[in-house]
């Protein structure tokens, strides 16, 4: 038994060991991500504050090698080679997403906070030269209020998203912007078609599959958003349209759906189950009845002949 436990523990360790050693892969496009502006001293300062509050517990003070050595994989010193070999994009991705003991800071920190931390950490690397991405020029004048509207084109059976921009009370369609469309499902969202660019009239067109189930009335909740939310902002638009296939099955997340399975069970399962329960009860009564007989036998007077034996 002990050998069995040892093997089990060793194999669990091996699995964890392997996953800990496997490299932390960052998608190519994320690796190349750069900040749009040059790091400044004030960015480094606010990065230092956030670092002291959120990262120091595990990573220690950069350059002092006083990170938490008990953690596996090791968090490492941010001033060290291993850490600094990351591109800015890799650092950004790793801080946002996290891995095992390294927490994800996607929601806890703003993008600016993360860039500030990177600015701070880079200040410990004398050979680091920052590359910035040119801010991608958009054809949208500064100060324009963007708005999206989702509609269904019944002639063409497509979903259209109209993007308009309003500046000084004048509204114009905005072309050349990539938009993605999602449909809300019970567990997460489903992307509809590929991301599409708005045309000169400001319209992005998405093909629609009419077989997609909606609620009992065929309602589907659609959401449109920018592919490059870094450039155009986090604007998104939602709309409920009656374009799905009406679906009368109770949704899986409805309270009763989990428990109404008796209604869905085929007859043979119900009969089989009831039969099995009956057999068990008959057996229990049979055992009780036999026990009663044994007691009764024990109480019967014993004849003289039997006493001799
Ligand atoms: C609970 C402990 C903990 C906290 C808090 C923490 N980290 Fe980490 N971090 C780790 C561990 C452990 C690793 C190694 C993860 C791995 O290799 O799978 C790591 C890895 C990293 C890496 C990748 C390093 C490399 O060599 O590629 C970066 C970047 C990083 N952390 C930045 C941060 C920043 C910035 C913060 C604060 C906002 C932070 N961490 C907070 C534990 C932590």
């Amino acid at each position: 038994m002990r050998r069995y436990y040892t093997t089990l523990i060793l194999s669990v360790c091996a699995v964890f060991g392997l996953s800990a050693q496997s490299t932390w892969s960052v998608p190519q496009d994320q690796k190349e991500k750069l900040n749009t502006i040059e790091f400044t001293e004030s960015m480094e300062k606010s990065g230092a504050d956030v670092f002291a509050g959120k990262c120091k517990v595990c990573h220690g003070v950069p350059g002092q090698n006083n990170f938490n050595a008990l953690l596996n994989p090791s968090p490492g010193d941010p001033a060290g080679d291993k850490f600094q070999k990351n591109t800015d994009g890799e650092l950004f991705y790793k801080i946002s997403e996290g891995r095992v003991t390294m927490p994800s800071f996607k929601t806890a920190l703003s993008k600016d906070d993360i860039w500030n931390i990177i600015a701070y950490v880079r200040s410990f690397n004398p050979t680091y030269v920052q590359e910035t991405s040119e801010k991608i020029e958009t054809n949208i004048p500064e100060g324009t209020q963007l708005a999206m509207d989702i509609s269904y084109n019944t002639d063409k059976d497509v979903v259209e998203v109209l993007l308009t921009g309003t500046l000084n009370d004048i509204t114009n369609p905005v072309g050349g912007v990539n938009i993605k469309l999602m449909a809300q499902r019970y567990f997460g969202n489903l992307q509809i078609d590929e991301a599409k660019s708005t045309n000169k009239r400001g319209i992005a067109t998405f093909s629609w599959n009419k077989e997609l189930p909606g609620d009992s009335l065929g309602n589907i909740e659609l959401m449109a958003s920018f592919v490059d939310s870094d450039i155009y902002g986090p604007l998104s638009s939602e709309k409920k349209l009656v374009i799905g296939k009406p679906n009368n099955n109770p949704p899986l997340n409805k309270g009763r759906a989990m428990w109404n399975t008796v209604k869905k069970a085929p007859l043979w399962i119900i009969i089989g189950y009831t039969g099995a329960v009956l057999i068990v009860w008959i057996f229990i009564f049979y055992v009780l009845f036999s026990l009663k007989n044994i007691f009764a036998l024990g109480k019967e007077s014993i004849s003289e002949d039997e006493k001799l034996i």
Side-chain angles (χ1 to χ4, degrees):
M1 202 59 185
R2 185 174 284 169
R3 252 180 66 193
Y4 171 75
Y5 275 126
T6 325
T7 330
L8 189 75
I9 290 169
L10 279 182
S11 44
V12 169
C13 291
V15 169
F16 275 99
L18 276 181
S19 68
Q21 250 128 59
S22 68
T23 49
W24 195 341
S25 67
V26 178
Q28 193 58 34
D29 59 323
Q30 298 294 314
K31 246 184 216 177
E32 289 161 7
K33 189 178 176 128
L34 294 168
N35 198 358
T36 48
I37 50 169
E38 241 170 78
F39 296 149
T40 61
E41 227 167 274
S42 80
M43 286 172 79
E44 284 170 21
K45 278 215 181 86
S46 39
D49 288 344
V50 184
F51 189 93
K54 295 245 172 6
C55 324
K56 207 176 116 192
V57 255
C58 297
H59 287 280
V61 179
Q64 313 253 307
N65 267 320
N66 58 353
F67 52 86
N68 186 337
L70 295 177
L71 292 173
N72 180 25
S74 159
D77 187 316
D81 271 357
K82 184 168 165 286
F83 205 96
Q84 292 290 340
K85 251 196 250 153
N86 287 292
T87 62
D88 289 355
E90 280 172 318
L91 289 179
F92 192 95
Y93 181 87
K94 290 179 178 181
I95 299 168
S96 309
E97 301 299 324
R99 184 173 89 144
V100 204
T101 22
M102 163 69 196
S104 156
F105 287 96
K106 207 164 24 189
T107 46
L109 296 177
S110 69
K111 285 180 183 170
D112 284 346
D113 280 336
I114 298 181
W115 281 121
N116 292 347
I117 293 175
I118 297 174
Y120 167 65
V121 166
R122 289 301 195 200
S123 70
F124 293 89
N125 181 351
T127 58
Y128 172 75
V129 181
Q130 194 196 355
E131 264 182 83
T132 54
S133 69
E134 291 300 315
K135 196 168 172 75
I136 302 164
E137 284 302 324
T138 69
N139 49 359
I140 306 169
E142 199 83 27
T144 306
Q145 281 290 322
L146 294 173
M148 276 189 258
D149 186 40
I150 308 173
S151 61
Y152 189 71
N153 182 328
T154 36
D155 293 341
K156 297 188 200 151
D157 285 331
V158 289
V159 175
E160 296 180 339
V161 178
L162 171 68
L163 178 65
T164 52
T166 308
L167 185 65
N168 302 331
D169 289 338
I170 302 166
T171 302
N172 278 312
V174 180
V177 176
N178 286 329
I179 287 179
K180 62 176 183 237
L181 186 68
M182 312 286 254
Q184 242 172 33
R185 306 273 87 189
Y186 298 129
F187 306 108
N189 296 326
L190 174 76
Q191 178 159 1
I192 306 294
D193 210 348
E194 289 164 5
K196 295 291 168 72
S197 184
T198 51
N199 62 15
K200 273 188 198 145
R201 288 177 297 126
I203 295 172
T205 311
F206 299 86
S207 59
W208 181 252
N209 175 0
K210 283 197 209 157
E211 294 301 307
L212 202 73
D215 66 8
S216 57
L217 299 171
N219 283 309
I220 288 200
E221 184 100 27
L222 290 174
M223 274 170 304
S225 57
F226 296 123
V227 174
D228 300 309
S229 54
D230 281 358
I231 306 170
Y232 301 105
L235 175 76
S236 69
S237 163
E238 289 176 22
K239 193 151 196 185
K240 210 177 229 179
L241 294 174
V242 196
I243 52 175
K245 209 173 178 190
N247 174 9
N248 287 317
N249 295 337
L252 286 174
N253 56 354
K254 267 273 161 65
R256 289 195 54 224
M258 305 274 187
W259 320 112
N260 68 5
T261 40
V262 170
K263 282 189 211 147
K264 290 179 187 160
L267 194 63
W268 65 268
I269 284 194
I270 298 176
I271 293 177
Y273 174 78
T274 323
V277 170
L278 269 179
I279 289 171
V280 170
W281 275 111
I282 290 172
F283 185 71
I284 291 173
F285 277 110
Y286 172 74
V287 170
L288 288 176
F289 187 69
S290 308
L291 278 175
K292 190 181 146 258
N293 278 349
I294 291 170
F295 274 116
L297 275 175
K299 278 193 182 146
E300 261 172 31
S301 54
I302 302 165
S303 69
E304 288 302 311
D305 294 354
E306 280 169 324
K307 265 185 191 162
L308 279 176
I309 309 168

